[in-house]
Every structure is written in C-alpha cells, then in structure tokens.
Amino acid sequence: MLSLTDVSVAYDGVPAVRDVTLDLPDGRVLAVLGPSGCGKSTLLRAVAGLEPAGGTIAWDGNDVGRTPTHKRGFALMFQDGQLFGHLTVARNVGYALKLRRAPDTARRVEELLALVGLEGYADRMPTTLSGGERQRVALARALAVQPRLLLLDEPLSALDAGLRERLAVDLRRILREAGTTALMVTHDHEEAFTVADRLAVMRGGRVVQQGAIDEVWRAPADRDTALFLGYARVLEGAAAELVLGRPAPAVAVRRSALVLDEAGRLAGTVRAARATPTQVRLVVDVAGLGEVDAVAPLDRRPALGADVRLAVDRSRLAVVGAVAGGAS
Amino acid sequence: MRRTLALLGLALGPVLVLGVFFVLPVAGMVARGFWPDGAFDPGGVLEVLTRPRTGRVVWFTLWSSAVATAVSVLLGLPAAYALHRLDLPLRRVVRAALLVPFVLPTVVVGVAFRQLLGEAGPLGGLGLDGTPVAIVAGLAFFNVAVVIRSVGAAWEGLDPRPAEAAAALGASPAQVLRTVTLPALRPAIVSAASVVFLFCATSFGVVLTLGGLRYASVETEIYLLTTNLLDLQAAAALSVVQLVAITALLALAARLRTVPDPAVDRRTARPRAVRRSDWPQVTATLALLALVAAPIATLVVGSLRVGDEWSLGNYRALQTTGEGALLVPVTEALVTSLRTAVDATWMALLLGLVVAVVVTRRSRTPGERRVRSVLDGFFMLPLGVSAVTLGFGFLITLDRPPLDLRDSALLVPVAQALVALPLVVRTIVPVLGGIDDRQRQAAASLGAGSLRTLATVDLPVVWRPLLAAAGFAFAASLGEFGATAFLAREDRATVPVVIFRLIGSPGAMGYGMALAASVVLAATTAVVMLAVERLRVPSLGAF
C-alpha cells in the first residue's frame, strides 16, 4: 500500500506540489486527474524518486523517501514510452529481467507480449512501431518485473482519440489481470473513468478531492472540479433549485441532463442548435436559469427562436460540495 | 537542376580558394616525390616505404596516437559529464580553462612539458623527459578538450528520460550508464576519438619539441626529410601515406558522426545539483584540471626565474632580439602574430560561412545530397593534412608567376586560415543545420525575401557561433606552427616560430625568453578563449 503524507515538491523555490496526502491500497488503480501544469506529473516523478520531495512517501509503512529510484521497485511508464531505440522490442521488454539475471527471460517476454497483444513483434525495432504499439511495449516492459507499484504518466495522451479509447479498455483489462497496483496521472477524465477505480483531482499543486471514482463523479467538491470532470455548467442558488427540484447551493449539469420533451417542466427559447453524429446540441434560454445546454434527438431539430420544453434527467446532475471533499 | 547549379556556384569560391591554396601545394609536394627529375619514377617512393626507419616512424605514429587517444577519452569522459550535466560552481570557467590547451601553440605545450619533466623540473625525478610517455602525455594534454567538448555537447543534449526509465525499471546508476547512456553517446565518443587520433597522428610541434631526435612521427619525419636532409622523394612518399590514411579516417569519421535530425528539437537538460554519488566524476575532473594546470604552472614559474632568483627579467628581455638569436624583438613578433591572426580569422570566417551555408542547405535530390556530402568532406581535408606538407607545398608551388606569393604578406595568413577553416566550419554547421527549414519557409510565406529571411531567421541564431568561431580561429592562428614555420620570413616571424628559435638558441637567456614568450602567448589565447566561452556556443570545439 502506498501512502503519501504532506508530500511537497518545489522547483527553485516555486512550489509545484503542495502537501499532498493520498492512500492507494494494493491492487487498486488510482487516477490523478488535473489540468496541465497542476503538478500531477511532478507528483508522479516524486513517487518514482526522480524529484526530491518533502513529506513522507511510504510503502507498506516503510519510508522510501531516501531510497534511490532503482531500488524502489516502482516501474514508471512515460507519456511517450521512452523505449530504448538501440534495443529490439524483446530486449526492451526483457531489459529489467536481464538486469536481475532472471531465469527463463525469453518465455516471460513472450507471455508479456501476448498480454499486450503484440505476439510476433519480438525482433522489431522501436522505430518501426506505431504510437499505440510503442505504448504497449512500454507497458509490457514496465510490467515485466512485476513492480509493486506501476506509475503511468499520461500513458495514452500521445495517441489519437479512437486508439486512446481502445487502449484504455485494454489497459484496464491488463492491470486487472495482473492484479497490479497502479498510480496514473492524466488530464482526460474519460481515460481516468475507464482505467481507474479511484480518483484524486489535483489543481494548483493540491489534491482538492479524492475517493472512489463514482463517488467523486456524483459529488464534485466544487465548481472547478465539476467543470473539469466534464460537467457542462454549474448552476447556483435559485437556478440550482429549479433544476433539481429541491434546495441546493450548486448543481453541476451535464450537457445531456436537459432533454427536449413536450411534457418537460422547463420552458425556454432555442438560441443555438448544432448537429453532431448522435444528437442535436442546443443552447436554450430558460426562464429562471439563463442560457443552458440541452440535447434533442437527431430527428427533432427545433428551429432557432422556437419555444420548447425541456425534461430533466436527474441521473445526470450532481450536487456540488454536498460531500465534504478536500484532501481528507 | 537549377538548385544544383546555384549550389555549385556558391561553392565555387571556397573550392577555388581550396584548390589554389591547398590542392595545388599538396599536389606539388607529392609530384616532387614521384617526378624527381621531371620523369615519373615511382620506384624511389616505394624504396622509401620499405626502409626500416620508415616502418619504425609509421609504427611509432600509430601506437603513440592510439594510446594518446585512449588516454584522452578516458580522462575526458568523466569531465564531460561533470561539466555538462552537473551544476558545479565555476563550471563555465573550468570548461574554458580546459579548452585552452587545445588552442595553445603546440610549441608552448612542448616547452611546458619539458619544463615539467626535465631534469630541473618538479617531475624530473621520474625520468620521463624525452620518453614516449612524455609525448603521449603532451598529446593527451592537447586533445582532451576535444573529447570534453564533443562528448559534453552530446551529453548535454541527451534526453534524460530514457535514463530515468531505466532507473525506474531497476537499473543502478552503473547499469544505466552501461546499457542506456553509453550506447546513446557512442557516436559522439567514436567521432571525438577519431578526430583526436587524427590530431595526434598529425601533431607536429609537440612531437618535435618532446621527441628530440630519437622519436619521430610521420609529420616530424617529413619536416626532417625536407629541411635537414633535403630528401624530397622520401618526404613526398610519407606525405602520400599520410594523405591516404587521413582521407580514409576522415571518411570513417564522417560516417560515424551523428547528424542530428534538424527537425527534432534538441532539449538541453538542466544541469542538476551535485550529489554525493557524483564524487568520482567530480574528483576525476579536478584531477584532470590539476594535470592540465601542472605544465602551465611550471611554465609560468620557470618564466619568472632568472638564475636562482625571482625576476621579470625574461619578460623585459622580450623587447630584445635575445642576444642576436632573432632578427626582430619578440614584442614585434607578437604584433606580427596578432596582425596575421586577424587576417587569417576573417579569411577563415568568410570561407567557413560560405562552406557552412553550402553544406547545410537541405537537399532535394539524391544528386544534390551527394554533391553536398562530397563538398563537406573536401572542406574538412585541411583538418587532417599535415601542416608541414601544406607549408612546404606553398613554398614550392606558389613561387613563380602567375602565383608568386613568396613575398606576399598574405601567404602566412592564407595558410593559417586553411588550418583554421575546419574549426570554423564545425562550429557553425551544427547551428545552421539545426535551424528548422520550416522556419525559413514560414518567413517566406509571410512575405520575407531571401535576404530578409537570412536576416530574421538565420542571423539571430548564428551570430554568436560566428563570433565564437572567429575567436576560435583567431586563437588557433595565433598558435599555428607547422605551416608558419616554413612560410614566415625571419623578419616577419610569429611568436611560435620565435619561441622555437629561442629554445634552439644556446644560453640560458634564450630559454628564459622562450618561457616568457610562451606565457604571453598562452595568456593571450586563454583570454580569447574565455571571452569566446562566454558566448555559450555548445558546438565550439566539438567535432
């Protein structure tokens, strides 16, 4: 189990990570989610031992803060893989095994390549691989030594969208099958949702909320967290009450929470309409709410300026700040 | 086709200059050997090559150069790391200090080592004076900077993340070095080693002053054969051997030299704070600094001693002709040296800039690329060709109309410019080559003409390296000895030539003056190099 207590990292006196406290139980995957520059990659490097950090980084209760990187037993997978260009795929994957003079390296490498779906790639050179293949090799290489903790630095963000979705699913399967404890940083909430089962949201060097992923999702700690988790707008005061049907300080609304429906209880005027492959996205001026996002089925595209009614899908709302968030 | 023609047009200037002042003299020198009396007689040359002494000389050149290269690489690698990856205090000053030996006049290096290892010197007890050990030490002293520069520049630009990835996979620092860092640095190390070997194998002043009569390299042997024994046939034979060997080595070096992909942006890693685990490298660097400082310190101390007393007498004597050993006072020679170096610098800079532009423009066709790479190799030739051969070739080919330059004041600067040309080219080419061509295209697409593009894209990047190259060429010209020894007239002698005369002159007076003149020359080059180092050009002194 990884425990971080008050971990801080500063570059030339400028703090990049401030007082981060996190726990990661064995076998779980924790995603640290945050916008670029929030300090999440720095936190990961500190855990790996690549940046000097204040506070305590402990594994199973033992402080590893003074342990050099290569003795921590934490494997790090970089955003762009960082395969060794002068070694074949098999020798990249077998790199750490060879360092330890592990027996039966060849068979283990084969197993790992099969695990990431790259059978028959053993003798290829990294430069001949596509971006997705390179990341798979990097993953196999990191898993080879069965690290007690796998650190993933934006493992999929260098890939294009379709591939990213497929690989995220694969990554989740591989981590589950291997029973690996993993800490992943990402700025993509969908990637976090697909791969991880716990979530910590970072902003300005601090962890502003953490917990099981669906809990965080259902109850974002504050407005900025809600927006970062993919909610389209945050409504406050009377508007929040109007949407939710009961009093609440603030409500985060997904774009699809308001649906075009003749029987809906909200009335408004269409200000903009834009078709996407799956639905029509609307901006509707609703009395008491102001301009909000809504969706309509593709076959019912209202005209600009039309008066429409909207129904509320409560499962796509989240009360903001309902659960005490923060770093606890 | 038009592009290839334009390329050839631009290359025409440097090619002509190199043709007249390099190919012609060297060819003339070689021709003297093969056509001794106007008739083709290769037998004589072959006879020379089978002489036992020739074999000994070639063998000595090979093994002393190989050992000196190995020593330079072993001493240079830790320093390259410490001075380019660690945030050591004063590291820029140390870097500049370690580059000074490279531009020190070879004669000065020779004098300094004799002063250090000679009977009266601090290390006289080791009995190394006049031994091959002294020669190897002198060669390594001279060339270790090349390794530090070349490998250091590569090391500085090395992405730290693969090493971090290896560490995160459980590799210890030693394993990271062996499995990741050294393989990535191998091209730089091999290319630096081949250049150092080249410099060692063609070194003249160091071997001449330290080797005495017992040990001769191919280069000093050529000098001996032409000046003392007047055996031009043998000299030409050795020149040919040298030329062939060096061309082969240069071709090999060009193949091994990494050409960084200009489109890839090279990130320079921030030097990190020194940790306890760095002490071996830091200690090695300090030891190297001490090794480099020792001969120079002995030189300075020696120059301040007259008899058994401390005195500035040797320096005051620089205003004299050294009891008739010289035609002009040393101070006048210093003025001549500075003037000559200024002339050589602008020539080398002008030529080098044109060459660099020609070589770095992106090729669009295979033919164009071939032309460029041939030109690139051609302009590097002066790097490896014996300065002695060049100097003597000047004497025998540029002595009759239409090219009667024997009395021209430009003869020495031209020869020095040719010797400095590769240094200039190697400093500017990586910088020009590193400019992404798309920047020029962007400027053009925004309406900039080709001159405007040059001024707004190339010039801002290149002016510092250009200035640094100028300083480098200036320092190298100040110390040039091999060619100048042949070409400088006694009344227009440069300081290195004067120093060599003074060493050979009888009496303590001359030797003391030689030491003082060496210190003055070394100080001048050191000041130039320190100024140049402040420009922070990574490719400076890297090959």
Side-chain angles (χ1 to χ4, degrees):
Chain A
M1 171 161 141
L2 176 76
S3 318
L4 308 183
T5 316
D6 295 332
V7 171
S8 301
V9 182
Y11 288 119
D12 293 333
V14 180
V17 173
R18 309 169 194 225
D19 300 329
V20 167
T21 299
L22 277 178
D23 281 324
L24 174 56
D26 287 346
R28 296 300 174 85
V29 179
L30 167 68
V32 177
L33 182 68
S36 49
C38 74
K40 57 189 191 301
S41 285
T42 306
L43 176 67
L44 196 77
R45 290 173 60 84
V47 173
L50 296 170
E51 301 289 344
T56 314
I57 300 169
W59 183 263
D60 288 343
N62 301 318
D63 189 350
V64 296
R66 297 263 161 268
T67 312
T69 303
H70 65 280
K71 290 187 178 151
R72 287 198 185 183
F74 302 168
L76 172 61
M77 178 180 160
F78 282 81
Q79 186 172 357
D80 49 1
Q82 291 298 334
L83 297 182
F84 303 130
H86 61 289
L87 301 179
T88 61
V89 165
R91 298 187 60 177
N92 261 289
V93 175
Y95 179 82
L97 298 170
K98 207 175 157 203
L99 288 182
R100 300 182 181 190
R101 301 201 170 78
D104 220 1
T105 309
R107 196 181 50 78
R108 178 89 180 110
V109 168
E110 251 172 60
E111 280 174 16
L112 284 159
L113 285 178
L115 181 68
V116 297
L118 288 178
E119 295 101 331
Y121 278 65
D123 295 326
R124 298 269 293 267
M125 292 307 281
T127 44
T128 67
L129 304 179
S130 70
E133 288 164 348
R134 249 177 262 169
Q135 287 307 83
R136 286 167 193 263
V137 175
L139 180 63
R141 183 177 73 174
L143 288 172
V145 286
Q146 291 167 313
R148 47 188 190 174
L149 174 64
L150 178 61
L151 303 167
L152 304 162
D153 186 4
E154 306 246 11
L156 307 176
S157 27
L159 310 174
D160 58 56
L163 187 58
R164 191 159 60 215
E165 260 171 52
R166 280 208 308 283
L167 263 188
V169 175
D170 281 358
L171 183 57
R172 179 188 177 87
R173 172 185 60 81
I174 291 166
L175 293 180
R176 290 290 181 293
E177 277 176 18
T180 309
T181 312
L183 176 61
M184 161 171 118
V185 306
T186 177
H187 64 267
D188 180 0
H189 56 87
E190 302 212 4
E191 189 177 307
F193 207 76
T194 311
V195 179
D197 40 34
R198 294 183 64 78
L199 187 66
V201 180
M202 247 181 117
R203 212 164 50 235
R206 296 179 194 281
V207 169
V208 291
Q209 189 177 9
Q210 61 170 308
I213 203 158
D214 45 344
E215 282 170 25
V216 176
W217 204 274
R218 260 184 284 132
D222 54 36
R223 179 191 170 83
D224 287 344
T225 306
L227 293 177
F228 197 73
L229 286 172
Y231 287 92
R233 287 180 199 235
V234 174
L235 303 173
E236 288 167 353
E241 187 174 347
L242 183 60
V243 168
L244 195 63
R246 63 180 166 83
V251 171
V253 188
R254 298 197 77 74
R255 188 185 291 280
S256 53
L258 302 178
V259 189
L260 196 68
D261 187 341
E262 271 109 53
R265 58 189 171 81
L266 300 176
T269 312
V270 176
R271 292 281 178 242
R274 183 168 63 85
T276 70
T278 52
Q279 58 195 182
V280 181
R281 293 186 169 185
L282 307 173
V283 176
V284 182
D285 192 356
V286 177
L289 291 185
E291 291 200 345
V292 291
D293 302 283
V295 295
L298 276 178
D299 55 349
R300 291 180 52 201
R301 180 172 180 160
L304 282 186
D307 289 323
V308 291
R309 297 196 74 81
L310 302 171
V312 180
D313 180 350
R314 294 249 175 105
S315 70
R316 293 171 188 264
L317 300 179
V319 177
V320 175
V323 180
S328 62
Chain B
M1 196 59 212
R2 257 189 60 201
R3 279 179 58 93
T4 314
L5 283 182
L7 169 70
L8 288 176
L10 194 58
L12 197 63
V15 167
L16 266 183
V17 173
L18 222 59
V20 171
F21 292 107
F22 181 76
V23 176
L24 189 66
V26 174
M29 175 81 183
V30 171
R32 274 288 167 99
F34 281 96
W35 286 270
D37 304 305
F40 184 58
D41 177 20
V45 170
L46 283 176
E47 185 270 320
V48 173
L49 296 183
T50 53
R51 286 182 200 165
R53 174 161 173 97
T54 308
R56 274 206 309 278
V57 165
V58 170
W59 171 237
F60 178 76
T61 309
L62 283 180
W63 81 255
S64 64
S65 306
V67 173
T69 305
V71 171
S72 305
V73 170
L74 288 179
L75 289 177
L77 284 185
Y81 172 78
L83 294 174
H84 288 88
R85 289 308 278 259
L86 297 181
D87 192 12
L88 287 175
L90 292 179
R91 69 193 181 101
R92 295 210 166 268
V93 177
V94 174
R95 265 155 74 164
L98 287 176
L99 190 57
V100 168
F102 182 64
V103 287
L104 270 191
T106 49
V107 181
V108 174
V109 175
V111 172
F113 268 80
R114 279 182 67 183
Q115 186 70 13
L116 180 70
L117 302 173
E119 275 171 33
L123 299 182
L126 299 177
L128 295 175
D129 193 20
T131 65
V133 177
I135 296 177
V136 167
L139 290 174
F141 169 86
F142 198 56
N143 284 305
V144 76
V146 177
V147 177
I148 296 178
R149 286 298 161 140
S150 304
V151 180
W155 216 323
E156 200 167 37
L158 204 62
D159 189 340
R161 288 172 304 170
E164 291 174 354
L169 290 169
S172 68
Q175 285 170 324
V176 171
L177 185 71
R178 189 167 52 77
T179 58
V180 178
T181 311
L182 284 183
L185 288 177
R186 194 169 49 204
I189 295 174
V190 172
S191 132
S194 53
V195 171
V196 168
F197 185 85
L198 203 67
F199 285 151
C200 291
T202 58
S203 169
F204 176 57
V206 172
V207 182
L208 191 67
T209 42
L210 288 175
L213 292 173
R214 276 187 64 199
Y215 297 99
S217 67
V218 174
E219 183 87 358
T220 57
E221 188 72 2
I222 294 174
Y223 178 76
L224 207 69
L225 288 169
T226 42
T227 55
N228 290 15
L229 306 175
L230 298 176
D231 186 350
L232 288 190
Q233 213 172 12
L238 283 178
S239 290
V240 172
V241 170
Q242 202 182 29
L243 207 60
V244 170
I246 281 160
T247 312
L249 196 64
L250 272 178
L252 188 71
R255 180 157 292 206
L256 296 171
R257 193 164 49 230
T258 44
V259 183
D261 184 352
V264 175
D265 118 275
R266 269 162 48 97
R267 33 194 296 159
T268 301
R270 263 164 45 117
R272 63 170 174 74
V274 183
R275 297 185 198 142
R276 208 157 20 154
S277 58
D278 294 321
W279 71 263
Q281 295 91 316
V282 175
T283 316
T285 308
L286 291 177
L288 179 64
L289 201 58
L291 283 178
V292 167
I296 297 178
T298 345
L299 182 71
V300 173
V301 170
S303 74
L304 292 169
R305 307 279 293 180
V306 176
D308 288 330
E309 285 173 26
W310 295 99
S311 155
L312 288 173
N314 288 328
Y315 289 89
R316 275 193 292 272
L318 294 182
Q319 293 164 342
T320 72
T321 57
E323 293 160 355
L326 308 168
L327 275 184
V328 291
V330 181
T331 42
E332 203 180 311
L334 185 62
V335 174
T336 311
S337 269
L338 292 173
R339 279 214 186 116
T340 317
V342 167
D343 284 339
T345 302
W346 69 254
M347 291 178 198
L349 212 57
L350 201 66
L351 269 183
L353 191 61
V354 177
V355 171
V357 168
V358 168
V359 171
T360 52
R361 282 297 145 108
R362 185 161 281 189
S363 309
R364 296 224 179 118
T365 62
E368 208 182 320
R369 197 169 309 128
R370 254 197 308 280
V371 170
R372 274 182 219 280
S373 78
V374 167
L375 287 174
D376 191 17
F378 180 62
F379 294 127
M380 290 305 280
L381 273 182
L383 188 66
V385 170
S386 141
V388 172
T389 306
L390 185 68
F392 198 73
F394 264 50
L395 274 192
I396 60 172
T397 52
L398 304 178
D399 60 344
R400 47 185 173 261
L403 283 167
D404 188 0
L405 299 173
R406 266 173 309 172
D407 291 325
S408 165
L410 288 182
L411 194 59
V412 176
V414 166
Q416 292 184 348
L418 286 180
V419 175
L421 177 65
L423 307 180
V424 174
V425 172
R426 278 293 145 240
T427 305
I428 303 177
V429 159
V431 181
L432 270 186
I435 300 176
D436 194 334
D437 213 30
R438 287 172 298 181
Q439 296 238 311
R440 300 192 187 101
Q441 291 161 3
S445 75
L446 293 170
S450 50
L451 270 183
R452 173 59 63 98
T453 305
L454 200 68
T456 50
V457 177
D458 296 85
L459 201 62
V461 183
V462 106
W463 74 265
R464 265 166 191 279
L466 216 51
L467 211 55
F472 204 27
F474 185 78
S477 303
L478 269 186
E480 210 289 325
F481 178 57
T484 315
F486 271 99
L487 300 175
R489 288 177 8 187
E490 288 296 321
D491 58 337
R492 273 193 239 140
T494 61
V495 178
V497 176
V498 160
I499 292 172
F500 188 67
R501 294 266 179 282
L502 285 170
I503 303 174
S505 77
M509 174 78 178
Y511 193 67
M513 278 175 69
L515 294 182
S518 296
V519 171
V520 170
L521 194 54
T524 315
T525 43
V527 167
V528 172
M529 284 327 288
L530 277 171
V532 160
E533 178 66 21
R534 292 196 63 86
L535 294 168
R536 306 189 173 185
V537 176
S539 58
L540 185 74
F543 291 89

